[in-house]
Amino acid sequence: MERDPDVRKASGRMVLWLGALTIGMFGFGFALVPLYNLYCQVVGIQSADQQRALNVQARVDPLGEVQDRWVTVRFDTTVHPSLPWALESNERSLRVRPGEIHEVMFVASNRSSAKVTGQALPTVIPWQANDFFNKTECFCFVKQTLDGGERREMPLRFVVSPALPDGVTSLTLSYNFMHLDG
């Protein structure tokens, strides 16, 4: 049975269109990382690569001298609605001297009866202070799993770098706990 030439022509165009769309989607997948980095640069936020580089740099740099000035560090916690947890810090804020190591305990409670896994995503505000807030131990470095009804204390050890600009007198460390599968 012979096909109508118009149908064959339309089928050929459809195959070409779908092939071009597939190639375009594949190319867009490769372009996402540079586009994301460009977006971060334009908006003024740090990309994941920049944050990793700063964390490595913070571990290598010496702490420096303890300064005779005070900085207020506030702690803020948010739990995503899909995660049946409560999270809070034992301290709402601390007055610290740059160069001193401090520890704050956070308490997470699983309000469900099932085992649930989550991970905290930290943010430092103002973002310009991010380079100067060094977490030496943090529950945010790894995912956390709590059994149903479990309550756990999780430490945060940090130091505010003495290189923090003088104009920054307070900063906020905000944790957003997200639900993870498994």
Side-chain angles (χ1 to χ4, degrees), residues 84-85 108-115 146-152:
W85 287 11
S109 302
N110 183 352
R111 296 179 305 200
S112 76
S113 59
K115 181 187 277 191
L146 296 179
D147 289 327
E150 182 180 358
R151 183 177 187 271
R152 180 183 306 157

Side-chain angles (χ1 to χ4, degrees), residues 99-120:
E100 288 181 338
I101 296 176
H102 294 275
E103 181 175 282
V104 175
M105 296 303 286
F106 285 76
V107 179
S109 302
N110 183 352
R111 296 179 305 200
S112 76
S113 59
K115 181 187 277 191
V116 182
T117 301
Q119 184 154 10

Side-chain angles (χ1 to χ4, degrees), residues 87-149:
L87 177 71
E88 56 189 36
S89 65
N90 287 345
E91 303 281 343
R92 291 269 185 221
S93 66
L94 283 178
R95 283 188 67 212
V96 302
R97 286 191 175 129
E100 288 181 338
I101 296 176
H102 294 275
E103 181 175 282
V104 175
M105 296 303 286
F106 285 76
V107 179
S109 302
N110 183 352
R111 296 179 305 200
S112 76
S113 59
K115 181 187 277 191
V116 182
T117 301
Q119 184 154 10
L121 304 172
T123 305
V124 176
I125 301 168
W127 66 267
Q128 295 89 344
N130 197 36
D131 297 355
F132 307 100
F133 190 88
N134 304 310
K135 296 178 287 299
T136 59
E137 180 182 339
C138 183
F139 55 91
C140 64
F141 294 158
V142 296
K143 57 186 173 181
Q144 303 291 326
T145 301
L146 296 179
D147 289 327

Side-chain angles (χ1 to χ4, degrees), residues 73-87:
V73 179
R74 291 180 184 84
F75 303 100
D76 178 45
T77 60
T78 306
V79 178
H80 191 272
S82 68
L83 186 64
W85 287 11
L87 177 71

Side-chain angles (χ1 to χ4, degrees), residues 6-173:
D6 290 337
V7 171
R8 283 193 356 207
K9 196 176 197 181
S11 296
R13 278 193 303 246
M14 180 61 74
V15 167
L16 284 174
W17 174 250
L18 290 174
L21 183 63
T22 302
I23 290 171
M25 288 171 46
F26 187 74
F28 183 71
F30 276 104
L32 277 178
V33 171
L35 287 173
Y36 173 73
N37 288 335
L38 178 64
Y39 171 78
C40 289
Q41 185 179 10
V42 168
V43 175
I45 59 176
Q46 293 178 342
S47 68
D49 291 338
Q50 290 171 324
Q51 287 179 353
R52 274 192 290 279
L54 288 170
N55 285 340
V56 168
Q57 177 186 353
R59 284 187 222 117
V60 173
D61 287 346
L63 297 177
E65 299 264 329
V66 174
Q67 292 185 342
D68 194 29
R69 69 177 175 132
W70 294 96
V71 175
T72 302
V73 179
R74 291 180 184 84
F75 303 100
D76 178 45
T77 60
T78 306
V79 178
H80 191 272
S82 68
L83 186 64
W85 287 11
L87 177 71
E88 56 189 36
S89 65
N90 287 345
E91 303 281 343
R92 291 269 185 221
S93 66
L94 283 178
R95 283 188 67 212
V96 302
R97 286 191 175 129
E100 288 181 338
I101 296 176
H102 294 275
E103 181 175 282
V104 175
M105 296 303 286
F106 285 76
V107 179
S109 302
N110 183 352
R111 296 179 305 200
S112 76
S113 59
K115 181 187 277 191
V116 182
T117 301
Q119 184 154 10
L121 304 172
T123 305
V124 176
I125 301 168
W127 66 267
Q128 295 89 344
N130 197 36
D131 297 355
F132 307 100
F133 190 88
N134 304 310
K135 296 178 287 299
T136 59
E137 180 182 339
C138 183
F139 55 91
C140 64
F141 294 158
V142 296
K143 57 186 173 181
Q144 303 291 326
T145 301
L146 296 179
D147 289 327
E150 182 180 358
R151 183 177 187 271
R152 180 183 306 157
E153 287 190 346
M154 301 179 297
L156 162 68
R157 266 195 205 100
F158 69 93
V159 62
V160 175
S161 171
L164 180 74
D166 290 334
V168 179
T169 58
S170 70
L171 54 95
T172 301
L173 175 63

